Amino acid sequence: MENKIKQLLLQHSLELFGIEIEENLVQFQQTRKEFEGDLTLVVFPFVKIMKSSPNEVASKIGDFLVGKIQEIARYNVVQGFLNILLTDQYWVDQLRLIRTSSNYGFSEQASKGTVLVEYSSPNTNKPLHLGHLRNNFLGYSVAEILKANGHNVIKTQIINDRGVHICKSMLAWERFSPLNSEGERETPQNTGLKGDKLVGKYYVVFDQQLNLEVKTVLERWESNDFSGVSETLKEQINNLVVARTNSLDEKSLEGINSKLKELAKNETSLMRDVKEMLVKWEARDPQTYLLWTTMNGWVYEGFKATYEAMGVNFDRLYYESETYLLGKDIVADGLNKGVFYKKDDGSVWIDLTSEGLDEKLVLRSDGTAVYMTQDIGTAVDRKKDYPDMQGVVYTVGNEQDYHFKVLFLVLKKLGYTWANNCFHLSYGMVDLPSGKMKSREGTVVDADDLMADVIASAKEMTKERGHLEGMSESQKEKLFSQIGMGGLKYFLLKVDPKKRMLFNPEESIELNGNTGPFIQYAHARIHSLLLKAGGYSDFKSTQLLIEEKELVKFIAQYPEIVKAAGAEFSPAIIANYAFELVKLFNHFYQTVPILIEKDELVKNLRLVLCEVVSDIINRSLNLLGIEAPEKM
RNA sequence: GGCUCCGUGGCGCAAUUGUAUAGCGCAUCAGAUUUCGGCUCUGAGGGUUGGGGGUUAGAAUCCCUCCGGGGUCACCA
C-alpha cells in the first residue's frame, strides 16, 4: 500500500506540487494509536516546496488519494501529519492473503547466495561458559534469520585446538594426574567426568603449579640467588628492584611486581617444558601428537554433549591445527603486489595509517604465522571451499573489534570483493549481578551447569502450574528443557548484541513479562484453543473490531521485520516483535469472545487470526533457536 | 594517552537511516474477569534520554565539547 501511494504521488507530482519530486521525500510512519488511521504520511518535506501551510498541503494530498485509491476510507490531518484510514475490507483481504501464503514473511529458500556464519569457536583447553552461550545462540539465530531471508547459509566454526594453552593442559595431566589401582591416569572413562571438564581441570592445575614455582623463583631472586639467570635478565631484575624501592604509590608498585612475576614465569621449568612440548608438537613428535589427539578427543566428546543441550549445530568445521600455516602464500603474494612491506628483520607489515589505524604485523621475522595470517588464510580457504560464498559473518566478542576491522581492510586491499560483505557480529560481555566473570576468581558460570539449573527451575514451575496430564516421562523432560532453554535463549537474545548485558538467572526463566516462556505460553494456549474449536472454513467480515484490526496490522508488518533482522544481523528485532505480538494477542484474547461467538463467519475469522498468530510466534521463536511446545 | 563502543524512570531494556505527548517489562499501588487455560487483562505513580553547546520547521537519534563506564592498542590467539 505504501508503495502504491508513493508511485501515485510520484506520477502526479507535477499537478500536485508543481515540480517533479524525489522519491525519498515520500516518507511514511506508523500512525500513533491516539489518532485515527492506519498509515501516516509526513508532509513537512512538501511544505517547503509548495510554500503553503502544512494543513493545506496535507488536505490536498488527502483529497487526491481518496479519489484515486478505493481502499482508502478517509483521512485526517494533525500538525503536518496526514493520517490515512484504510477500509476494513482491505485488512480482511490482507489476512486472507497472509493465510494462504506459505512461510509468510520468509523469502524463498536459497534464492540469494551463500553466506558463512562462524560462531562458537572454542579453545579446547576449557569447558564452555556463559559467554559462549551468548555467542552460540547469537550465531545460530543469525544463521536462521539469514536463511529466512533467502540466503544459503553454512554454519561453521574454527576450533582453536593448538598452541601453548593446549600444551598446558597436556603437560599438567601427564605430570600431575594421580594413578589409579590399574596404574592409569585420570580419563573421562575412569572418573566419569565430562571430557572437557577433565581437561579444563588440568588447565587449572597447571596454573596452580606454575604459581607455586613462580613463588620459589621470586624468593630465590629476593635472596640474591641468580643461578642459571642470564646477565641481561639479571640486570632487568635489578633495575626493577631498584625502581620498586624508589616508588611510593601502590599502583606503580603493583605494576613492577607483576612485571617481576612475568619474568619469573619465563624462568620456571614448567613454562620451559610447555614451550618444548609445543615445539615437539609442531615437529609432529608421535608421542606428543598422540597425547594431543587423545585429550582433544575427550574435549570434543564433551563439547558434543554441550552443543546438543544448546540445540546448535554446524555444517562445516575448521581446525586451527589445519589452518595455522595457511595465509603465508597470500602474504607473499601481497608483498609482490605492494600491499605489504618487509622490514629489515624480515617481518612483514601492512601500513594502515592512511585509514586512521596503525601498522600491523602479518608475518613474523622468523617467517611463522600470526593470528592475522591465519585468519586471512582461513577466509581465502573458505572461498575455495565455497566458490559462491558472498561473505562471512564472524560471531566474536567485541574485544576483537580492532582485529576484524584490520582483517576486512586487508582482505579488501588484497582485492577480494567478498570482503565487502564480511561482517563482525560483535557482542558485549555478559556480566553477572555479582560482577565481572573472572576465571581466576572462580566466578565463571559453566554452560552445562547453567543450562541444567535453568531446566531444573522450569521443571519446578511447570510441575506446579502446567498441564502435564497424559505426558510420558520423556515428553515431560523434553518440555522442561524446551521451557528452560527457551527462557535462557530469549533472555540472551532480546538485547542488542553490541551492548554489554547483565545476566539475571532468576529473571531468565520467569514466566511473566518480556520472557521466552511468556511467549511460549501464548502459543500453547492458542494451540489448545484451536483444538477445542475443531474445524473451521470460510470467514468473512465487513466490519472489524479495533482489536482485530490492530492484530492484522501488526501481522502485516512481519515480512519487514524479518528483512530488518537479516539486514542488521539482529535476533533482538525478532524477539521484540514476538513479544509485542503476544501482548497484542493477549489483549485481543481477553476482550474478544472467540468460541462463543454465534456468527460462524466472524468466529472463523477470529480463529484464522489465532492460527496466523500462532504460526508467526512459532516461526519467530524458531528463528531464535527456541522451540514452541503445544502444551505446557 | 590514541582509537572504539556504551550511558534512556528504582532495576533490566526498546525506539539511534531525525518527526506528533520518549515506549515496554520487573517492582509498587488500585481495579476487572459467572464465559475460550488467572502463566490473563485494565489503570495509576515514576523521565529536563550523563552535563553543556550547535545544526534543523523538528534531536534520545546528527555535529562539537566535557563527565562516567567497557574494550583495544603484543613478532599472544
Side-chain angles (χ1 to χ4, degrees), chain A residues 320 345 361 364-365 436 467 496 498-500 512 521 528 532 589:
Chain A
E320 197 197 321
D345 62 3
L361 178 88
R364 288 196 191 102
S365 53
K436 205 172 165 176
H467 295 245
D496 180 358
K498 67 172 180 284
K499 283 192 180 171
R500 197 187 171 114
N512 259 316
Y521 176 74
S528 106
K532 212 166 254 181
Y589 178 83

Short mmCIF file of all heavy atoms in Angstrom, two decimals, chain A residues 320 345 361 364-365 436 467 496 498-500 512 521 528 532 589, chain B residues 6 14 19-20 24 35-37 39-41 70-71 75-77:
data_model
loop_
_atom_site.label_atom_id
_atom_site.label_comp_id
_atom_site.label_asym_id
_atom_site.label_seq_id
_atom_site.Cartn_x
_atom_site.Cartn_y
_atom_site.Cartn_z
N GLU A 320 42.16 -25.06 13.82
CA GLU A 320 43.32 -24.20 13.74
C GLU A 320 44.57 -25.00 13.41
O GLU A 320 45.47 -24.52 12.72
CB GLU A 320 43.51 -23.45 15.05
CG GLU A 320 44.41 -22.25 14.92
CD GLU A 320 44.92 -21.76 16.26
OE1 GLU A 320 44.14 -21.78 17.21
OE2 GLU A 320 46.10 -21.38 16.32
N ASP A 345 64.32 -6.74 9.49
CA ASP A 345 64.48 -8.03 10.18
C ASP A 345 63.69 -9.15 9.50
O ASP A 345 63.67 -10.27 9.99
CB ASP A 345 64.05 -7.90 11.64
CG ASP A 345 62.58 -7.50 11.78
OD1 ASP A 345 61.90 -7.39 10.74
OD2 ASP A 345 62.13 -7.30 12.91
N LEU A 361 51.41 -6.18 12.03
CA LEU A 361 52.26 -7.29 11.62
C LEU A 361 51.42 -8.39 10.97
O LEU A 361 50.37 -8.75 11.49
CB LEU A 361 52.97 -7.87 12.84
CG LEU A 361 53.86 -9.08 12.60
CD1 LEU A 361 55.26 -8.65 12.24
CD2 LEU A 361 53.85 -9.99 13.80
N ARG A 364 55.72 -13.01 11.08
CA ARG A 364 56.85 -12.80 11.99
C ARG A 364 58.17 -12.80 11.23
O ARG A 364 58.27 -13.32 10.12
CB ARG A 364 56.89 -13.91 13.05
CG ARG A 364 55.82 -13.82 14.07
CD ARG A 364 56.18 -14.71 15.26
NE ARG A 364 55.04 -14.85 16.15
CZ ARG A 364 54.25 -15.91 16.20
NH1 ARG A 364 54.48 -16.95 15.40
NH2 ARG A 364 53.25 -15.97 17.04
N SER A 365 59.21 -12.26 11.89
CA SER A 365 60.51 -12.18 11.25
C SER A 365 61.08 -13.57 10.99
O SER A 365 61.85 -13.78 10.07
CB SER A 365 61.48 -11.36 12.10
OG SER A 365 61.50 -11.88 13.41
N LYS A 436 31.92 -8.94 37.32
CA LYS A 436 32.55 -9.48 36.14
C LYS A 436 32.91 -10.96 36.32
O LYS A 436 33.24 -11.39 37.42
CB LYS A 436 33.83 -8.67 35.89
CG LYS A 436 34.30 -8.67 34.48
CD LYS A 436 35.45 -7.68 34.34
CE LYS A 436 36.19 -7.90 33.04
NZ LYS A 436 37.24 -6.92 32.82
N HIS A 467 0.21 -28.13 32.47
CA HIS A 467 -0.78 -29.11 32.05
C HIS A 467 -0.02 -30.34 31.58
O HIS A 467 0.29 -30.48 30.41
CB HIS A 467 -1.65 -28.55 30.93
CG HIS A 467 -2.47 -27.39 31.39
ND1 HIS A 467 -3.84 -27.44 31.43
CD2 HIS A 467 -2.13 -26.17 31.85
CE1 HIS A 467 -4.29 -26.28 31.89
NE2 HIS A 467 -3.27 -25.50 32.14
N ASP A 496 20.17 -5.97 22.35
CA ASP A 496 21.07 -5.58 21.27
C ASP A 496 22.46 -6.22 21.49
O ASP A 496 23.07 -6.00 22.52
CB ASP A 496 21.16 -4.05 21.29
CG ASP A 496 22.06 -3.51 20.20
OD1 ASP A 496 22.64 -4.31 19.46
OD2 ASP A 496 22.18 -2.29 20.10
N LYS A 498 25.49 -5.72 20.62
CA LYS A 498 26.73 -5.00 20.91
C LYS A 498 26.75 -4.40 22.31
O LYS A 498 27.77 -3.93 22.77
CB LYS A 498 27.01 -3.94 19.84
CG LYS A 498 26.09 -2.79 19.76
CD LYS A 498 26.68 -1.75 18.76
CE LYS A 498 25.81 -0.54 18.61
NZ LYS A 498 24.61 -0.77 17.78
N LYS A 499 25.62 -4.47 22.98
CA LYS A 499 25.61 -3.94 24.34
C LYS A 499 26.07 -4.99 25.34
O LYS A 499 25.74 -6.16 25.25
CB LYS A 499 24.20 -3.48 24.70
CG LYS A 499 23.85 -2.17 24.09
CD LYS A 499 22.59 -1.62 24.69
CE LYS A 499 22.26 -0.28 24.04
NZ LYS A 499 20.96 0.21 24.43
N ARG A 500 26.82 -4.53 26.27
CA ARG A 500 27.20 -5.33 27.41
C ARG A 500 25.92 -5.63 28.17
O ARG A 500 25.06 -4.76 28.30
CB ARG A 500 28.12 -4.46 28.24
CG ARG A 500 28.94 -5.18 29.22
CD ARG A 500 29.67 -4.17 30.07
NE ARG A 500 30.26 -4.95 31.12
CZ ARG A 500 31.56 -5.09 31.27
NH1 ARG A 500 32.38 -4.44 30.50
NH2 ARG A 500 32.04 -5.86 32.22
N ASN A 512 6.60 -14.55 33.37
CA ASN A 512 5.86 -13.31 33.12
C ASN A 512 6.79 -12.27 32.53
O ASN A 512 7.98 -12.35 32.67
CB ASN A 512 5.30 -12.77 34.43
CG ASN A 512 3.84 -13.10 34.57
OD1 ASN A 512 3.09 -12.97 33.61
ND2 ASN A 512 3.45 -13.55 35.73
N TYR A 521 3.98 -19.67 26.20
CA TYR A 521 2.68 -19.92 26.81
C TYR A 521 1.54 -19.48 25.90
O TYR A 521 0.55 -20.19 25.73
CB TYR A 521 2.58 -19.19 28.15
CG TYR A 521 1.22 -19.33 28.77
CD1 TYR A 521 0.82 -20.53 29.34
CD2 TYR A 521 0.31 -18.28 28.74
CE1 TYR A 521 -0.45 -20.68 29.87
CE2 TYR A 521 -0.96 -18.42 29.27
CZ TYR A 521 -1.34 -19.62 29.84
OH TYR A 521 -2.59 -19.78 30.35
N SER A 528 -4.28 -25.01 22.08
CA SER A 528 -5.37 -25.71 22.74
C SER A 528 -6.72 -25.13 22.34
O SER A 528 -7.72 -25.84 22.20
CB SER A 528 -5.16 -25.71 24.25
OG SER A 528 -6.04 -24.83 24.88
N LYS A 532 -9.79 -27.18 20.48
CA LYS A 532 -11.14 -27.17 21.00
C LYS A 532 -12.15 -26.73 19.94
O LYS A 532 -13.29 -27.18 19.90
CB LYS A 532 -11.20 -26.23 22.21
CG LYS A 532 -12.20 -26.67 23.25
CD LYS A 532 -11.97 -25.92 24.53
CE LYS A 532 -11.32 -26.79 25.59
NZ LYS A 532 -11.11 -26.11 26.86
N TYR A 589 -7.40 -11.50 23.00
CA TYR A 589 -7.93 -12.72 23.58
C TYR A 589 -8.78 -12.42 24.81
O TYR A 589 -9.77 -13.07 25.07
CB TYR A 589 -6.74 -13.59 23.96
CG TYR A 589 -7.07 -14.89 24.62
CD1 TYR A 589 -7.40 -15.99 23.85
CD2 TYR A 589 -7.03 -15.02 26.00
CE1 TYR A 589 -7.70 -17.20 24.44
CE2 TYR A 589 -7.32 -16.23 26.60
CZ TYR A 589 -7.65 -17.31 25.81
OH TYR A 589 -7.95 -18.50 26.40
P C B 6 27.43 2.44 20.27
OP1 C B 6 26.22 1.89 19.63
OP2 C B 6 27.92 3.77 19.89
"O5'" C B 6 27.24 2.41 21.85
"C5'" C B 6 26.57 1.34 22.48
"C4'" C B 6 26.72 1.42 23.98
"O4'" C B 6 28.12 1.61 24.33
"C3'" C B 6 26.05 2.60 24.67
"O3'" C B 6 24.67 2.41 24.82
"C2'" C B 6 26.78 2.60 26.01
"O2'" C B 6 26.33 1.56 26.84
"C1'" C B 6 28.21 2.30 25.57
N1 C B 6 29.00 3.53 25.41
C2 C B 6 29.44 4.19 26.57
O2 C B 6 29.15 3.71 27.68
N3 C B 6 30.17 5.32 26.47
C4 C B 6 30.46 5.81 25.26
N4 C B 6 31.18 6.93 25.20
C5 C B 6 30.01 5.17 24.05
C6 C B 6 29.29 4.05 24.18
P A B 14 18.20 -2.71 24.24
OP1 A B 14 18.68 -3.65 23.22
OP2 A B 14 19.08 -1.61 24.67
"O5'" A B 14 16.81 -2.11 23.78
"C5'" A B 14 15.81 -2.99 23.25
"C4'" A B 14 14.60 -2.25 22.77
"O4'" A B 14 13.92 -1.55 23.85
"C3'" A B 14 14.78 -1.14 21.75
"O3'" A B 14 15.08 -1.64 20.47
"C2'" A B 14 13.38 -0.53 21.78
"O2'" A B 14 12.45 -1.34 21.08
"C1'" A B 14 13.06 -0.59 23.28
N9 A B 14 13.26 0.71 23.93
C8 A B 14 14.22 1.09 24.82
N7 A B 14 14.12 2.33 25.22
C5 A B 14 13.02 2.80 24.54
C6 A B 14 12.38 4.05 24.51
N6 A B 14 12.78 5.09 25.25
N1 A B 14 11.30 4.18 23.72
C2 A B 14 10.90 3.15 22.99
N3 A B 14 11.41 1.91 22.93
C4 A B 14 12.48 1.81 23.74
P U B 19 12.76 10.01 14.25
OP1 U B 19 13.05 9.56 15.60
OP2 U B 19 12.39 9.09 13.16
"O5'" U B 19 11.63 11.14 14.30
"C5'" U B 19 11.54 11.98 15.43
"C4'" U B 19 10.39 12.94 15.24
"O4'" U B 19 10.66 13.78 14.10
"C3'" U B 19 9.04 12.24 14.97
"O3'" U B 19 8.05 12.87 15.74
"C2'" U B 19 8.79 12.50 13.50
"O2'" U B 19 7.43 12.64 13.19
"C1'" U B 19 9.49 13.83 13.30
N1 U B 19 9.88 14.12 11.92
C2 U B 19 9.47 15.34 11.41
O2 U B 19 8.83 16.14 12.07
N3 U B 19 9.86 15.58 10.13
C4 U B 19 10.59 14.76 9.32
O4 U B 19 10.86 15.13 8.19
C5 U B 19 10.97 13.51 9.91
C6 U B 19 10.61 13.24 11.17
P A B 20 7.89 12.38 17.24
OP1 A B 20 9.04 12.86 18.01
OP2 A B 20 7.51 10.96 17.27
"O5'" A B 20 6.62 13.24 17.63
"C5'" A B 20 6.73 14.66 17.74
"C4'" A B 20 5.33 15.24 17.81
"O4'" A B 20 4.62 14.86 16.61
"C3'" A B 20 4.52 14.71 18.99
"O3'" A B 20 3.69 15.75 19.49
"C2'" A B 20 3.63 13.63 18.37
"O2'" A B 20 2.38 13.50 19.01
"C1'" A B 20 3.43 14.19 16.96
N9 A B 20 3.20 13.10 15.99
C8 A B 20 4.09 12.15 15.58
N7 A B 20 3.60 11.31 14.71
C5 A B 20 2.30 11.75 14.53
C6 A B 20 1.25 11.27 13.72
N6 A B 20 1.37 10.23 12.92
N1 A B 20 0.08 11.91 13.78
C2 A B 20 -0.04 12.96 14.60
N3 A B 20 0.88 13.51 15.40
C4 A B 20 2.04 12.84 15.32
P C B 24 3.80 1.74 27.22
OP1 C B 24 2.41 1.35 26.95
OP2 C B 24 4.11 2.73 28.27
"O5'" C B 24 4.66 0.43 27.49
"C5'" C B 24 4.55 -0.65 26.60
"C4'" C B 24 5.67 -1.63 26.78
"O4'" C B 24 6.96 -0.98 26.63
"C3'" C B 24 5.80 -2.27 28.16
"O3'" C B 24 4.79 -3.24 28.38
"C2'" C B 24 7.19 -2.89 28.04
"O2'" C B 24 7.19 -4.01 27.19
"C1'" C B 24 7.94 -1.75 27.34
N1 C B 24 8.66 -0.89 28.29
C2 C B 24 9.85 -1.39 28.85
O2 C B 24 10.24 -2.52 28.51
N3 C B 24 10.54 -0.63 29.73
C4 C B 24 10.09 0.58 30.06
N4 C B 24 10.81 1.29 30.93
C5 C B 24 8.89 1.10 29.51
C6 C B 24 8.20 0.35 28.64
P U B 35 -16.22 -18.21 34.52
OP1 U B 35 -15.73 -19.60 34.69
OP2 U B 35 -15.24 -17.13 34.36
"O5'" U B 35 -17.21 -18.17 33.30
"C5'" U B 35 -17.62 -19.37 32.65
"C4'" U B 35 -17.55 -19.18 31.15
"O4'" U B 35 -18.18 -17.92 30.79
"C3'" U B 35 -16.14 -19.03 30.59
"O3'" U B 35 -15.54 -20.30 30.39
"C2'" U B 35 -16.38 -18.29 29.28
"O2'" U B 35 -16.81 -19.18 28.27
"C1'" U B 35 -17.56 -17.37 29.64
N1 U B 35 -17.11 -15.99 29.94
C2 U B 35 -16.86 -15.15 28.86
O2 U B 35 -17.01 -15.52 27.72
N3 U B 35 -16.44 -13.90 29.20
C4 U B 35 -16.23 -13.39 30.46
O4 U B 35 -15.86 -12.23 30.59
C5 U B 35 -16.51 -14.32 31.53
C6 U B 35 -16.92 -15.56 31.24
P C B 36 -13.99 -20.47 30.54
OP1 C B 36 -13.73 -21.86 30.95
OP2 C B 36 -13.41 -19.36 31.31
"O5'" C B 36 -13.54 -20.32 29.03
"C5'" C B 36 -14.05 -21.25 28.07
"C4'" C B 36 -13.23 -21.17 26.83
"O4'" C B 36 -13.48 -19.92 26.14
"C3'" C B 36 -11.72 -21.16 26.97
"O3'" C B 36 -11.22 -22.46 27.24
"C2'" C B 36 -11.28 -20.63 25.62
"O2'" C B 36 -11.16 -21.69 24.68
"C1'" C B 36 -12.44 -19.74 25.21
N1 C B 36 -12.07 -18.31 25.13
C2 C B 36 -12.74 -17.52 24.20
O2 C B 36 -13.61 -18.03 23.50
N3 C B 36 -12.42 -16.20 24.08
C4 C B 36 -11.45 -15.72 24.85
N4 C B 36 -11.18 -14.43 24.68
C5 C B 36 -10.75 -16.51 25.81
C6 C B 36 -11.09 -17.80 25.91
P G B 37 -9.64 -22.72 27.27
OP1 G B 37 -9.04 -21.54 26.64
OP2 G B 37 -9.29 -24.02 26.77
"O5'" G B 37 -9.34 -22.78 28.83
"C5'" G B 37 -9.41 -21.65 29.63
"C4'" G B 37 -8.25 -21.74 30.58
"O4'" G B 37 -7.30 -22.74 30.14
"C3'" G B 37 -7.48 -20.43 30.66
"O3'" G B 37 -7.23 -20.14 32.03
"C2'" G B 37 -6.19 -20.71 29.91
"O2'" G B 37 -5.09 -20.04 30.47
"C1'" G B 37 -6.00 -22.21 30.15
N9 G B 37 -5.20 -22.82 29.09
C8 G B 37 -5.54 -23.03 27.78
N7 G B 37 -4.60 -23.61 27.09
C5 G B 37 -3.58 -23.80 28.00
C6 G B 37 -2.31 -24.39 27.83
O6 G B 37 -1.82 -24.87 26.82
N1 G B 37 -1.58 -24.38 28.99
C2 G B 37 -2.02 -23.88 30.20
N2 G B 37 -1.17 -23.96 31.21
N3 G B 37 -3.21 -23.34 30.38
C4 G B 37 -3.93 -23.32 29.24
P C B 39 -2.31 -19.20 35.93
OP1 C B 39 -2.75 -20.24 35.02
OP2 C B 39 -1.54 -19.52 37.11
"O5'" C B 39 -1.52 -18.10 35.09
"C5'" C B 39 -0.81 -17.05 35.72
"C4'" C B 39 0.38 -16.67 34.87
"O4'" C B 39 1.27 -17.82 34.82
"C3'" C B 39 0.00 -16.38 33.42
"O3'" C B 39 0.83 -15.35 32.90
"C2'" C B 39 0.29 -17.67 32.69
"O2'" C B 39 0.71 -17.46 31.36
"C1'" C B 39 1.48 -18.20 33.49
N1 C B 39 1.58 -19.68 33.46
C2 C B 39 2.75 -20.23 32.93
O2 C B 39 3.63 -19.47 32.49
N3 C B 39 2.88 -21.56 32.88
C4 C B 39 1.92 -22.35 33.35
N4 C B 39 2.10 -23.66 33.28
C5 C B 39 0.72 -21.82 33.89
C6 C B 39 0.60 -20.49 33.93
P U B 40 0.43 -13.88 32.78
OP1 U B 40 1.30 -13.29 31.76
OP2 U B 40 0.35 -13.28 34.11
"O5'" U B 40 -1.05 -13.97 32.18
"C5'" U B 40 -1.23 -14.08 30.79
"C4'" U B 40 -2.61 -13.58 30.43
"O4'" U B 40 -3.58 -14.09 31.39
"C3'" U B 40 -2.79 -12.07 30.52
"O3'" U B 40 -2.27 -11.40 29.39
"C2'" U B 40 -4.30 -11.97 30.62
"O2'" U B 40 -4.90 -12.23 29.38
"C1'" U B 40 -4.61 -13.14 31.57
N1 U B 40 -4.63 -12.70 32.97
C2 U B 40 -5.68 -11.92 33.40
O2 U B 40 -6.60 -11.61 32.67
N3 U B 40 -5.64 -11.54 34.70
C4 U B 40 -4.67 -11.84 35.61
O4 U B 40 -4.76 -11.43 36.77
C5 U B 40 -3.59 -12.65 35.11
C6 U B 40 -3.61 -13.04 33.84
P C B 41 -1.65 -9.97 29.50
OP1 C B 41 -1.01 -9.69 28.20
OP2 C B 41 -0.88 -9.85 30.74
"O5'" C B 41 -2.94 -9.06 29.64
"C5'" C B 41 -3.87 -8.98 28.58
"C4'" C B 41 -5.12 -8.30 29.06
"O4'" C B 41 -5.64 -8.99 30.23
"C3'" C B 41 -4.94 -6.88 29.56
"O3'" C B 41 -4.90 -5.96 28.48
"C2'" C B 41 -6.17 -6.69 30.43
"O2'" C B 41 -7.32 -6.49 29.64
"C1'" C B 41 -6.27 -8.05 31.09
N1 C B 41 -5.59 -8.10 32.41
C2 C B 41 -6.22 -7.47 33.49
O2 C B 41 -7.30 -6.91 33.31
N3 C B 41 -5.63 -7.51 34.71
C4 C B 41 -4.46 -8.13 34.86
N4 C B 41 -3.93 -8.14 36.07
C5 C B 41 -3.79 -8.77 33.77
C6 C B 41 -4.39 -8.73 32.57
P G B 70 35.60 0.41 33.78
OP1 G B 70 36.01 -0.57 34.80
OP2 G B 70 36.51 1.53 33.44
"O5'" G B 70 35.25 -0.34 32.43
"C5'" G B 70 34.44 -1.51 32.47
"C4'" G B 70 34.11 -1.95 31.07
"O4'" G B 70 33.52 -0.86 30.32
"C3'" G B 70 35.28 -2.36 30.20
"O3'" G B 70 35.78 -3.64 30.54
"C2'" G B 70 34.64 -2.33 28.82
"O2'" G B 70 33.81 -3.44 28.62
"C1'" G B 70 33.77 -1.07 28.93
N9 G B 70 34.45 0.10 28.37
C8 G B 70 34.98 1.18 29.02
N7 G B 70 35.53 2.06 28.22
C5 G B 70 35.36 1.51 26.95
C6 G B 70 35.75 1.99 25.67
O6 G B 70 36.35 3.04 25.40
N1 G B 70 35.39 1.11 24.65
C2 G B 70 34.73 -0.07 24.84
N2 G B 70 34.46 -0.78 23.74
N3 G B 70 34.35 -0.53 26.02
C4 G B 70 34.69 0.30 27.03
P G B 71 37.34 -3.94 30.34
OP1 G B 71 37.56 -5.29 30.88
OP2 G B 71 38.12 -2.80 30.86
"O5'" G B 71 37.50 -3.98 28.76
"C5'" G B 71 36.85 -4.98 28.00
"C4'" G B 71 37.00 -4.68 26.54
"O4'" G B 71 36.43 -3.38 26.24
"C3'" G B 71 38.43 -4.56 26.03
"O3'" G B 71 39.02 -5.83 25.83
"C2'" G B 71 38.22 -3.79 24.74
"O2'" G B 71 37.72 -4.63 23.72
"C1'" G B 71 37.13 -2.80 25.14
N9 G B 71 37.70 -1.52 25.56
C8 G B 71 37.84 -1.03 26.84
N7 G B 71 38.39 0.16 26.88
C5 G B 71 38.63 0.47 25.55
C6 G B 71 39.21 1.63 24.97
O6 G B 71 39.63 2.63 25.54
N1 G B 71 39.27 1.53 23.58
C2 G B 71 38.84 0.47 22.85
N2 G B 71 38.97 0.54 21.53
N3 G B 71 38.28 -0.62 23.38
C4 G B 71 38.22 -0.55 24.73
P C B 75 54.41 -7.12 18.56
OP1 C B 75 54.75 -7.24 19.96
OP2 C B 75 54.92 -5.98 17.79
"O5'" C B 75 54.89 -8.40 17.78
"C5'" C B 75 53.92 -9.17 17.16
"C4'" C B 75 54.52 -10.54 16.93
"O4'" C B 75 55.51 -10.42 15.88
"C3'" C B 75 55.22 -11.10 18.16
"O3'" C B 75 54.94 -12.48 18.20
"C2'" C B 75 56.71 -10.83 17.88
"O2'" C B 75 57.54 -11.90 18.32
"C1'" C B 75 56.76 -10.86 16.34
N1 C B 75 57.77 -9.98 15.75
C2 C B 75 58.77 -10.60 14.99
O2 C B 75 58.75 -11.82 14.85
N3 C B 75 59.71 -9.83 14.42
C4 C B 75 59.69 -8.50 14.59
N4 C B 75 60.65 -7.79 13.99
C5 C B 75 58.69 -7.86 15.38
C6 C B 75 57.75 -8.64 15.93
P C B 76 54.65 -13.38 19.34
OP1 C B 76 55.70 -13.44 20.35
OP2 C B 76 54.38 -14.53 18.49
"O5'" C B 76 53.36 -12.90 20.13
"C5'" C B 76 52.07 -13.06 19.65
"C4'" C B 76 51.34 -14.04 20.53
"O4'" C B 76 50.79 -13.34 21.67
"C3'" C B 76 50.14 -14.68 19.87
"O3'" C B 76 50.55 -15.80 19.10
"C2'" C B 76 49.31 -15.08 21.07
"O2'" C B 76 49.82 -16.27 21.63
"C1'" C B 76 49.57 -13.93 22.04
N1 C B 76 48.51 -12.89 22.02
C2 C B 76 47.41 -13.02 22.89
O2 C B 76 47.38 -14.02 23.62
N3 C B 76 46.44 -12.08 22.89
C4 C B 76 46.53 -11.05 22.07
N4 C B 76 45.56 -10.14 22.11
C5 C B 76 47.63 -10.88 21.17
C6 C B 76 48.59 -11.82 21.17
P A B 77 49.82 -16.10 17.73
OP1 A B 77 50.53 -17.25 17.17
OP2 A B 77 49.66 -14.88 16.94
"O5'" A B 77 48.38 -16.57 18.20
"C5'" A B 77 48.16 -17.85 18.76
"C4'" A B 77 46.73 -17.90 19.24
"O4'" A B 77 46.51 -16.79 20.15
"C3'" A B 77 45.69 -17.68 18.15
"O3'" A B 77 45.36 -18.90 17.51
"C2'" A B 77 44.52 -17.08 18.89
"O2'" A B 77 43.75 -18.07 19.53
"C1'" A B 77 45.21 -16.24 19.96
N9 A B 77 45.35 -14.84 19.54
C8 A B 77 46.33 -14.27 18.78
N7 A B 77 46.19 -12.98 18.59
C5 A B 77 45.03 -12.68 19.27
C6 A B 77 44.31 -11.48 19.46
N6 A B 77 44.69 -10.30 18.97
N1 A B 77 43.18 -11.52 20.19
C2 A B 77 42.79 -12.70 20.69
N3 A B 77 43.37 -13.91 20.59
C4 A B 77 44.49 -13.82 19.86
#
